Amino acid sequence: MNWLEGKKVLLVDDDPTIRDSMGLFFDGEVCEYTSVESAERALEELTFQSFDLIISDYKLSGMDGLEFLGRIRESHSTVAKIFITVYGGPGLFSQAEQMGVTGCIEKPLTAEKVEACLAQIGKTRGKQR
């Protein structure tokens, strides 16, 4: 994904295995990757630095992913956002889109699903420039 080169990515997921595997994926994309285990930690990160892509899981301990995305909807409106969940479905994905989400991925995550979502975002972002 050329559009990711040099970009900053934030992943919010309470599963350390997903954080680690996504870290390996994004290492190959030549971008700066940060992962946190909660929405509350993500809000802290967002006060100190900006990101080009935010990926959030739905079910998190504490604040869930939809609430997190709702909180950053206005303040980070130009940031690409991906919503990931095992509890997918049209209703939930529709709610996520209302929170400003650019793409949705249903778990289990695979490199192919992530790449397809990122490619779609890249196409959309390329047309906006």
Side-chain angles (χ1 to χ4, degrees), residues 39-82:
E40 292 81 5
R41 259 306 269 126
L43 290 172
E44 289 175 24
E45 283 293 323
L46 289 167
T47 63
F48 297 113
Q49 59 181 319
S50 61
F51 292 89
D52 303 291
L53 173 64
I54 298 172
I55 304 169
S56 179
D57 189 19
Y58 174 47
K59 289 287 185 180
L60 301 165
S61 57
M63 181 188 322
D64 71 34
L66 278 181
E67 183 180 346
F68 164 67
L69 293 166
R71 286 198 185 186
I72 66 169
R73 182 179 180 188
E74 299 292 324
S75 59
H76 297 82
S77 61
T78 61
V79 175
K81 297 171 198 77
I82 297 175

mmCIF file of all heavy atoms in Angstrom, residues 39-82:
data_model
loop_
_atom_site.group_PDB
_atom_site.id
_atom_site.type_symbol
_atom_site.label_atom_id
_atom_site.label_comp_id
_atom_site.label_asym_id
_atom_site.label_seq_id
_atom_site.Cartn_x
_atom_site.Cartn_y
_atom_site.Cartn_z
ATOM 1 N N ALA A 39 -9.457 1.920 24.688
ATOM 2 C CA ALA A 39 -9.874 3.189 24.096
ATOM 3 C C ALA A 39 -9.377 4.358 24.941
ATOM 4 O O ALA A 39 -8.995 5.408 24.409
ATOM 5 C CB ALA A 39 -11.396 3.227 23.974
ATOM 6 N N GLU A 40 -9.365 4.165 26.241
ATOM 7 C CA GLU A 40 -8.874 5.218 27.126
ATOM 8 C C GLU A 40 -7.402 5.540 26.839
ATOM 9 O O GLU A 40 -7.013 6.709 26.778
ATOM 10 C CB GLU A 40 -9.056 4.809 28.604
ATOM 11 C CG GLU A 40 -10.515 4.735 29.048
ATOM 12 C CD GLU A 40 -11.233 3.437 28.661
ATOM 13 O OE1 GLU A 40 -10.590 2.507 28.110
ATOM 14 O OE2 GLU A 40 -12.449 3.351 28.882
ATOM 15 N N ARG A 41 -6.591 4.501 26.631
ATOM 16 C CA ARG A 41 -5.170 4.703 26.286
ATOM 17 C C ARG A 41 -5.043 5.373 24.922
ATOM 18 O O ARG A 41 -4.188 6.214 24.703
ATOM 19 C CB ARG A 41 -4.440 3.371 26.225
ATOM 20 C CG ARG A 41 -3.615 2.932 27.332
ATOM 21 C CD ARG A 41 -2.526 3.805 27.878
ATOM 22 N NE ARG A 41 -1.229 3.590 27.262
ATOM 23 C CZ ARG A 41 -0.515 4.568 26.721
ATOM 24 N NH1 ARG A 41 -0.945 5.789 26.674
ATOM 25 N NH2 ARG A 41 0.665 4.323 26.219
ATOM 26 N N ALA A 42 -5.928 4.999 24.000
ATOM 27 C CA ALA A 42 -5.904 5.605 22.669
ATOM 28 C C ALA A 42 -6.195 7.096 22.755
ATOM 29 O O ALA A 42 -5.538 7.905 22.079
ATOM 30 C CB ALA A 42 -6.920 4.917 21.757
ATOM 31 N N LEU A 43 -7.157 7.482 23.582
ATOM 32 C CA LEU A 43 -7.458 8.904 23.751
ATOM 33 C C LEU A 43 -6.248 9.652 24.292
ATOM 34 O O LEU A 43 -5.961 10.778 23.872
ATOM 35 C CB LEU A 43 -8.671 9.089 24.674
ATOM 36 C CG LEU A 43 -10.011 8.652 24.078
ATOM 37 C CD1 LEU A 43 -11.107 8.692 25.151
ATOM 38 C CD2 LEU A 43 -10.391 9.514 22.880
ATOM 39 N N GLU A 44 -5.508 9.022 25.209
ATOM 40 C CA GLU A 44 -4.276 9.629 25.725
ATOM 41 C C GLU A 44 -3.265 9.812 24.596
ATOM 42 O O GLU A 44 -2.657 10.883 24.476
ATOM 43 C CB GLU A 44 -3.670 8.764 26.826
ATOM 44 C CG GLU A 44 -4.444 8.757 28.112
ATOM 45 C CD GLU A 44 -3.851 7.786 29.135
ATOM 46 O OE1 GLU A 44 -2.643 7.472 29.058
ATOM 47 O OE2 GLU A 44 -4.608 7.332 30.006
ATOM 48 N N GLU A 45 -3.060 8.764 23.788
ATOM 49 C CA GLU A 45 -2.114 8.847 22.667
ATOM 50 C C GLU A 45 -2.486 9.984 21.722
ATOM 51 O O GLU A 45 -1.626 10.693 21.212
ATOM 52 C CB GLU A 45 -2.065 7.534 21.885
ATOM 53 C CG GLU A 45 -1.294 6.428 22.528
ATOM 54 C CD GLU A 45 0.199 6.694 22.605
ATOM 55 O OE1 GLU A 45 0.779 7.284 21.664
ATOM 56 O OE2 GLU A 45 0.794 6.307 23.628
ATOM 57 N N LEU A 46 -3.776 10.142 21.479
ATOM 58 C CA LEU A 46 -4.247 11.160 20.539
ATOM 59 C C LEU A 46 -4.058 12.578 21.065
ATOM 60 O O LEU A 46 -4.092 13.529 20.285
ATOM 61 C CB LEU A 46 -5.709 10.909 20.177
ATOM 62 C CG LEU A 46 -5.939 9.689 19.288
ATOM 63 C CD1 LEU A 46 -7.415 9.320 19.238
ATOM 64 C CD2 LEU A 46 -5.396 9.933 17.891
ATOM 65 N N THR A 47 -3.822 12.731 22.359
ATOM 66 C CA THR A 47 -3.527 14.068 22.881
ATOM 67 C C THR A 47 -2.068 14.442 22.644
ATOM 68 O O THR A 47 -1.731 15.613 22.636
ATOM 69 C CB THR A 47 -3.839 14.191 24.392
ATOM 70 O OG1 THR A 47 -3.013 13.297 25.116
ATOM 71 C CG2 THR A 47 -5.302 13.914 24.683
ATOM 72 N N PHE A 48 -1.216 13.442 22.435
ATOM 73 C CA PHE A 48 0.216 13.691 22.266
ATOM 74 C C PHE A 48 0.688 13.656 20.827
ATOM 75 O O PHE A 48 1.720 14.226 20.499
ATOM 76 C CB PHE A 48 1.038 12.666 23.071
ATOM 77 C CG PHE A 48 0.799 12.759 24.547
ATOM 78 C CD1 PHE A 48 0.163 11.729 25.225
ATOM 79 C CD2 PHE A 48 1.185 13.872 25.266
ATOM 80 C CE1 PHE A 48 -0.067 11.806 26.584
ATOM 81 C CE2 PHE A 48 0.957 13.965 26.627
ATOM 82 C CZ PHE A 48 0.322 12.920 27.286
ATOM 83 N N GLN A 49 -0.005 12.941 19.969
ATOM 84 C CA GLN A 49 0.425 12.825 18.585
ATOM 85 C C GLN A 49 -0.760 12.594 17.657
ATOM 86 O O GLN A 49 -1.826 12.209 18.089
ATOM 87 C CB GLN A 49 1.473 11.722 18.415
ATOM 88 C CG GLN A 49 1.039 10.335 18.830
ATOM 89 C CD GLN A 49 2.154 9.325 18.654
ATOM 90 O OE1 GLN A 49 2.884 9.356 17.671
ATOM 91 N NE2 GLN A 49 2.303 8.425 19.601
ATOM 92 N N SER A 50 -0.519 12.855 16.386
ATOM 93 C CA SER A 50 -1.567 12.647 15.393
ATOM 94 C C SER A 50 -1.283 11.361 14.620
ATOM 95 O O SER A 50 -0.150 10.905 14.556
ATOM 96 C CB SER A 50 -1.644 13.838 14.436
ATOM 97 O OG SER A 50 -0.423 13.980 13.753
ATOM 98 N N PHE A 51 -2.342 10.796 14.043
ATOM 99 C CA PHE A 51 -2.240 9.561 13.277
ATOM 100 C C PHE A 51 -2.952 9.734 11.952
ATOM 101 O O PHE A 51 -3.870 10.536 11.829
ATOM 102 C CB PHE A 51 -2.847 8.391 14.054
ATOM 103 C CG PHE A 51 -2.069 8.021 15.281
ATOM 104 C CD1 PHE A 51 -2.333 8.622 16.508
ATOM 105 C CD2 PHE A 51 -1.030 7.103 15.212
ATOM 106 C CE1 PHE A 51 -1.603 8.305 17.635
ATOM 107 C CE2 PHE A 51 -0.284 6.778 16.332
ATOM 108 C CZ PHE A 51 -0.576 7.379 17.553
ATOM 109 N N ASP A 52 -2.526 8.962 10.963
ATOM 110 C CA ASP A 52 -3.146 8.979 9.642
ATOM 111 C C ASP A 52 -4.194 7.886 9.497
ATOM 112 O O ASP A 52 -5.071 7.971 8.639
ATOM 113 C CB ASP A 52 -2.069 8.800 8.563
ATOM 114 C CG ASP A 52 -1.008 9.866 8.668
ATOM 115 O OD1 ASP A 52 -1.326 11.040 8.377
ATOM 116 O OD2 ASP A 52 0.131 9.555 9.074
ATOM 117 N N LEU A 53 -4.071 6.843 10.331
ATOM 118 C CA LEU A 53 -4.992 5.710 10.297
ATOM 119 C C LEU A 53 -5.206 5.224 11.721
ATOM 120 O O LEU A 53 -4.238 5.019 12.460
ATOM 121 C CB LEU A 53 -4.414 4.576 9.440
ATOM 122 C CG LEU A 53 -5.168 3.244 9.420
ATOM 123 C CD1 LEU A 53 -6.559 3.404 8.813
ATOM 124 C CD2 LEU A 53 -4.377 2.185 8.664
ATOM 125 N N ILE A 54 -6.478 5.052 12.107
ATOM 126 C CA ILE A 54 -6.825 4.502 13.414
ATOM 127 C C ILE A 54 -7.669 3.259 13.174
ATOM 128 O O ILE A 54 -8.655 3.294 12.440
ATOM 129 C CB ILE A 54 -7.608 5.517 14.266
ATOM 130 C CG1 ILE A 54 -6.752 6.763 14.539
ATOM 131 C CG2 ILE A 54 -8.066 4.871 15.576
ATOM 132 C CD1 ILE A 54 -7.504 7.899 15.201
ATOM 133 N N ILE A 55 -7.240 2.159 13.787
ATOM 134 C CA ILE A 55 -7.966 0.893 13.689
ATOM 135 C C ILE A 55 -8.436 0.542 15.091
ATOM 136 O O ILE A 55 -7.630 0.484 16.021
ATOM 137 C CB ILE A 55 -7.064 -0.233 13.146
ATOM 138 C CG1 ILE A 55 -6.462 0.166 11.803
ATOM 139 C CG2 ILE A 55 -7.838 -1.541 13.046
ATOM 140 C CD1 ILE A 55 -5.365 -0.763 11.319
ATOM 141 N N SER A 56 -9.741 0.314 15.245
ATOM 142 C CA SER A 56 -10.270 0.009 16.568
ATOM 143 C C SER A 56 -11.142 -1.236 16.554
ATOM 144 O O SER A 56 -11.999 -1.398 15.691
ATOM 145 C CB SER A 56 -11.099 1.184 17.094
ATOM 146 O OG SER A 56 -11.637 0.874 18.372
ATOM 147 N N ASP A 57 -10.908 -2.083 17.544
ATOM 148 C CA ASP A 57 -11.776 -3.226 17.786
ATOM 149 C C ASP A 57 -13.067 -2.717 18.442
ATOM 150 O O ASP A 57 -13.103 -1.607 18.989
ATOM 151 C CB ASP A 57 -11.063 -4.212 18.710
ATOM 152 C CG ASP A 57 -11.794 -5.544 18.855
ATOM 153 O OD1 ASP A 57 -12.639 -5.861 17.995
ATOM 154 O OD2 ASP A 57 -11.502 -6.266 19.816
ATOM 155 N N TYR A 58 -14.109 -3.509 18.365
ATOM 156 C CA TYR A 58 -15.389 -3.150 18.972
ATOM 157 C C TYR A 58 -15.392 -3.440 20.476
ATOM 158 O O TYR A 58 -15.580 -2.554 21.290
ATOM 159 C CB TYR A 58 -16.526 -3.898 18.271
ATOM 160 C CG TYR A 58 -17.887 -3.714 18.905
ATOM 161 C CD1 TYR A 58 -18.340 -2.457 19.271
ATOM 162 C CD2 TYR A 58 -18.712 -4.813 19.122
ATOM 163 C CE1 TYR A 58 -19.594 -2.296 19.845
ATOM 164 C CE2 TYR A 58 -19.968 -4.649 19.682
ATOM 165 C CZ TYR A 58 -20.400 -3.397 20.048
ATOM 166 O OH TYR A 58 -21.641 -3.237 20.603
ATOM 167 N N LYS A 59 -15.181 -4.698 20.823
ATOM 168 C CA LYS A 59 -15.244 -5.108 22.230
ATOM 169 C C LYS A 59 -13.896 -4.853 22.890
ATOM 170 O O LYS A 59 -12.901 -5.505 22.593
ATOM 171 C CB LYS A 59 -15.598 -6.592 22.352
ATOM 172 C CG LYS A 59 -17.021 -6.910 21.983
ATOM 173 C CD LYS A 59 -17.969 -6.430 23.053
ATOM 174 C CE LYS A 59 -19.386 -6.867 22.728
ATOM 175 N NZ LYS A 59 -20.329 -6.429 23.722
ATOM 176 N N LEU A 60 -13.880 -3.880 23.777
ATOM 177 C CA LEU A 60 -12.688 -3.537 24.539
ATOM 178 C C LEU A 60 -13.077 -3.483 26.008
ATOM 179 O O LEU A 60 -14.237 -3.239 26.334
ATOM 180 C CB LEU A 60 -12.157 -2.156 24.111
ATOM 181 C CG LEU A 60 -11.770 -1.986 22.644
ATOM 182 C CD1 LEU A 60 -11.623 -0.511 22.305
ATOM 183 C CD2 LEU A 60 -10.474 -2.733 22.364
ATOM 184 N N SER A 61 -12.115 -3.666 26.891
ATOM 185 C CA SER A 61 -12.435 -3.475 28.305
ATOM 186 C C SER A 61 -12.598 -1.972 28.532
ATOM 187 O O SER A 61 -11.878 -1.164 27.958
ATOM 188 C CB SER A 61 -11.322 -4.055 29.183
ATOM 189 O OG SER A 61 -10.091 -3.471 28.863
ATOM 190 N N GLY A 62 -13.584 -1.604 29.306
ATOM 191 C CA GLY A 62 -13.879 -0.181 29.485
ATOM 192 C C GLY A 62 -14.735 0.313 28.328
ATOM 193 O O GLY A 62 -15.682 -0.344 27.906
ATOM 194 N N MET A 63 -14.376 1.455 27.785
ATOM 195 C CA MET A 63 -15.119 2.049 26.665
ATOM 196 C C MET A 63 -15.012 1.153 25.434
ATOM 197 O O MET A 63 -13.933 0.676 25.103
ATOM 198 C CB MET A 63 -14.492 3.426 26.362
ATOM 199 C CG MET A 63 -15.154 4.188 25.247
ATOM 200 S SD MET A 63 -14.226 5.689 24.774
ATOM 201 C CE MET A 63 -13.607 6.327 26.299
ATOM 202 N N ASP A 64 -16.140 0.917 24.747
ATOM 203 C CA ASP A 64 -16.071 0.079 23.541
ATOM 204 C C ASP A 64 -15.632 0.901 22.326
ATOM 205 O O ASP A 64 -15.538 2.131 22.381
ATOM 206 C CB ASP A 64 -17.378 -0.674 23.285
ATOM 207 C CG ASP A 64 -18.542 0.199 22.824
ATOM 208 O OD1 ASP A 64 -18.326 1.193 22.097
ATOM 209 O OD2 ASP A 64 -19.683 -0.135 23.172
ATOM 210 N N GLY A 65 -15.357 0.206 21.246
ATOM 211 C CA GLY A 65 -14.833 0.845 20.045
ATOM 212 C C GLY A 65 -15.765 1.862 19.417
ATOM 213 O O GLY A 65 -15.319 2.889 18.910
ATOM 214 N N LEU A 66 -17.074 1.598 19.457
ATOM 215 C CA LEU A 66 -18.019 2.558 18.881
ATOM 216 C C LEU A 66 -18.036 3.865 19.669
ATOM 217 O O LEU A 66 -18.060 4.944 19.086
ATOM 218 C CB LEU A 66 -19.432 1.980 18.832
ATOM 219 C CG LEU A 66 -19.761 1.076 17.658
ATOM 220 C CD1 LEU A 66 -21.203 0.608 17.741
ATOM 221 C CD2 LEU A 66 -19.505 1.761 16.334
ATOM 222 N N GLU A 67 -18.024 3.757 20.981
ATOM 223 C CA GLU A 67 -17.998 4.968 21.807
ATOM 224 C C GLU A 67 -16.708 5.748 21.563
ATOM 225 O O GLU A 67 -16.719 6.969 21.433
ATOM 226 C CB GLU A 67 -18.136 4.619 23.288
ATOM 227 C CG GLU A 67 -18.192 5.859 24.171
ATOM 228 C CD GLU A 67 -18.331 5.557 25.652
ATOM 229 O OE1 GLU A 67 -18.644 4.403 26.013
ATOM 230 O OE2 GLU A 67 -18.122 6.486 26.452
ATOM 231 N N PHE A 68 -15.587 5.030 21.485
ATOM 232 C CA PHE A 68 -14.302 5.666 21.196
ATOM 233 C C PHE A 68 -14.357 6.418 19.864
ATOM 234 O O PHE A 68 -13.976 7.587 19.774
ATOM 235 C CB PHE A 68 -13.187 4.609 21.176
ATOM 236 C CG PHE A 68 -11.912 5.062 20.544
ATOM 237 C CD1 PHE A 68 -11.137 6.046 21.139
ATOM 238 C CD2 PHE A 68 -11.477 4.503 19.345
ATOM 239 C CE1 PHE A 68 -9.951 6.472 20.540
ATOM 240 C CE2 PHE A 68 -10.311 4.912 18.751
ATOM 241 C CZ PHE A 68 -9.534 5.903 19.352
ATOM 242 N N LEU A 69 -14.845 5.748 18.830
ATOM 243 C CA LEU A 69 -14.928 6.378 17.513
ATOM 244 C C LEU A 69 -15.863 7.586 17.537
ATOM 245 O O LEU A 69 -15.602 8.592 16.867
ATOM 246 C CB LEU A 69 -15.367 5.357 16.470
ATOM 247 C CG LEU A 69 -14.344 4.252 16.191
ATOM 248 C CD1 LEU A 69 -14.981 3.112 15.411
ATOM 249 C CD2 LEU A 69 -13.131 4.801 15.470
ATOM 250 N N GLY A 70 -16.931 7.496 18.308
ATOM 251 C CA GLY A 70 -17.839 8.626 18.453
ATOM 252 C C GLY A 70 -17.157 9.813 19.114
ATOM 253 O O GLY A 70 -17.366 10.962 18.722
ATOM 254 N N ARG A 71 -16.307 9.530 20.081
ATOM 255 C CA ARG A 71 -15.607 10.611 20.788
ATOM 256 C C ARG A 71 -14.599 11.336 19.907
ATOM 257 O O ARG A 71 -14.344 12.513 20.101
ATOM 258 C CB ARG A 71 -14.903 10.067 22.023
ATOM 259 C CG ARG A 71 -15.854 9.734 23.133
ATOM 260 C CD ARG A 71 -15.115 9.633 24.425
ATOM 261 N NE ARG A 71 -16.007 9.195 25.487
ATOM 262 C CZ ARG A 71 -15.652 9.136 26.750
ATOM 263 N NH1 ARG A 71 -14.425 9.475 27.108
ATOM 264 N NH2 ARG A 71 -16.504 8.727 27.651
ATOM 265 N N ILE A 72 -14.009 10.609 18.964
ATOM 266 C CA ILE A 72 -12.984 11.249 18.112
ATOM 267 C C ILE A 72 -13.536 11.666 16.751
ATOM 268 O O ILE A 72 -12.799 12.182 15.922
ATOM 269 C CB ILE A 72 -11.747 10.342 17.929
ATOM 270 C CG1 ILE A 72 -12.086 9.066 17.145
ATOM 271 C CG2 ILE A 72 -11.117 10.021 19.280
ATOM 272 C CD1 ILE A 72 -10.886 8.276 16.703
ATOM 273 N N ARG A 73 -14.806 11.453 16.548
ATOM 274 C CA ARG A 73 -15.414 11.729 15.235
ATOM 275 C C ARG A 73 -15.153 13.150 14.756
ATOM 276 O O ARG A 73 -14.735 13.367 13.631
ATOM 277 C CB ARG A 73 -16.907 11.459 15.303
ATOM 278 C CG ARG A 73 -17.610 11.658 14.001
ATOM 279 C CD ARG A 73 -19.069 11.345 14.137
ATOM 280 N NE ARG A 73 -19.708 11.554 12.858
ATOM 281 C CZ ARG A 73 -21.000 11.517 12.672
ATOM 282 N NH1 ARG A 73 -21.791 11.274 13.690
ATOM 283 N NH2 ARG A 73 -21.506 11.723 11.494
ATOM 284 N N GLU A 74 -15.405 14.132 15.587
ATOM 285 C CA GLU A 74 -15.229 15.537 15.208
ATOM 286 C C GLU A 74 -13.761 15.948 15.212
ATOM 287 O O GLU A 74 -13.287 16.580 14.278
ATOM 288 C CB GLU A 74 -16.026 16.441 16.152
ATOM 289 C CG GLU A 74 -17.524 16.193 16.140
ATOM 290 C CD GLU A 74 -18.178 16.586 14.830
ATOM 291 O OE1 GLU A 74 -17.756 17.588 14.230
ATOM 292 O OE2 GLU A 74 -19.115 15.883 14.404
ATOM 293 N N SER A 75 -13.049 15.581 16.265
ATOM 294 C CA SER A 75 -11.667 16.051 16.430
ATOM 295 C C SER A 75 -10.688 15.406 15.459
ATOM 296 O O SER A 75 -9.619 15.957 15.208
ATOM 297 C CB SER A 75 -11.198 15.818 17.865
ATOM 298 O OG SER A 75 -11.260 14.442 18.193
ATOM 299 N N HIS A 76 -11.033 14.258 14.918
ATOM 300 C CA HIS A 76 -10.147 13.537 13.996
ATOM 301 C C HIS A 76 -10.911 13.138 12.734
ATOM 302 O O HIS A 76 -10.792 12.019 12.231
ATOM 303 C CB HIS A 76 -9.538 12.319 14.684
ATOM 304 C CG HIS A 76 -8.667 12.680 15.837
ATOM 305 N ND1 HIS A 76 -9.164 12.963 17.087
ATOM 306 C CD2 HIS A 76 -7.327 12.853 15.916
ATOM 307 C CE1 HIS A 76 -8.165 13.270 17.889
ATOM 308 N NE2 HIS A 76 -7.046 13.218 17.201
ATOM 309 N N SER A 77 -11.661 14.079 12.213
ATOM 310 C CA SER A 77 -12.567 13.790 11.099
ATOM 311 C C SER A 77 -11.846 13.423 9.797
ATOM 312 O O SER A 77 -12.410 12.722 8.963
ATOM 313 C CB SER A 77 -13.505 14.973 10.860
ATOM 314 O OG SER A 77 -12.762 16.128 10.534
ATOM 315 N N THR A 78 -10.619 13.855 9.610
ATOM 316 C CA THR A 78 -9.912 13.570 8.358
ATOM 317 C C THR A 78 -9.069 12.294 8.416
ATOM 318 O O THR A 78 -8.494 11.898 7.415
ATOM 319 C CB THR A 78 -9.001 14.751 7.969
ATOM 320 O OG1 THR A 78 -8.028 14.941 9.005
ATOM 321 C CG2 THR A 78 -9.807 16.022 7.766
ATOM 322 N N VAL A 79 -9.006 11.682 9.578
ATOM 323 C CA VAL A 79 -8.211 10.470 9.765
ATOM 324 C C VAL A 79 -8.983 9.262 9.239
ATOM 325 O O VAL A 79 -10.179 9.123 9.508
ATOM 326 C CB VAL A 79 -7.874 10.267 11.262
ATOM 327 C CG1 VAL A 79 -7.145 8.949 11.489
ATOM 328 C CG2 VAL A 79 -7.058 11.432 11.784
ATOM 329 N N ALA A 80 -8.315 8.390 8.490
ATOM 330 C CA ALA A 80 -8.932 7.136 8.052
ATOM 331 C C ALA A 80 -9.132 6.251 9.281
ATOM 332 O O ALA A 80 -8.249 6.163 10.142
ATOM 333 C CB ALA A 80 -8.050 6.442 7.029
ATOM 334 N N LYS A 81 -10.301 5.601 9.362
ATOM 335 C CA LYS A 81 -10.608 4.753 10.510
ATOM 336 C C LYS A 81 -11.151 3.408 10.029
ATOM 337 O O LYS A 81 -11.990 3.363 9.141
ATOM 338 C CB LYS A 81 -11.646 5.427 11.407
ATOM 339 C CG LYS A 81 -11.170 6.732 12.014
ATOM 340 C CD LYS A 81 -12.324 7.444 12.699
ATOM 341 C CE LYS A 81 -12.006 8.897 12.912
ATOM 342 N NZ LYS A 81 -12.138 9.698 11.702
ATOM 343 N N ILE A 82 -10.647 2.350 10.659
ATOM 344 C CA ILE A 82 -11.121 0.994 10.374
ATOM 345 C C ILE A 82 -11.681 0.413 11.662
ATOM 346 O O ILE A 82 -11.061 0.516 12.723
ATOM 347 C CB ILE A 82 -9.988 0.094 9.825
ATOM 348 C CG1 ILE A 82 -9.479 0.628 8.490
ATOM 349 C CG2 ILE A 82 -10.477 -1.350 9.683
ATOM 350 C CD1 ILE A 82 -8.277 -0.125 7.947
#
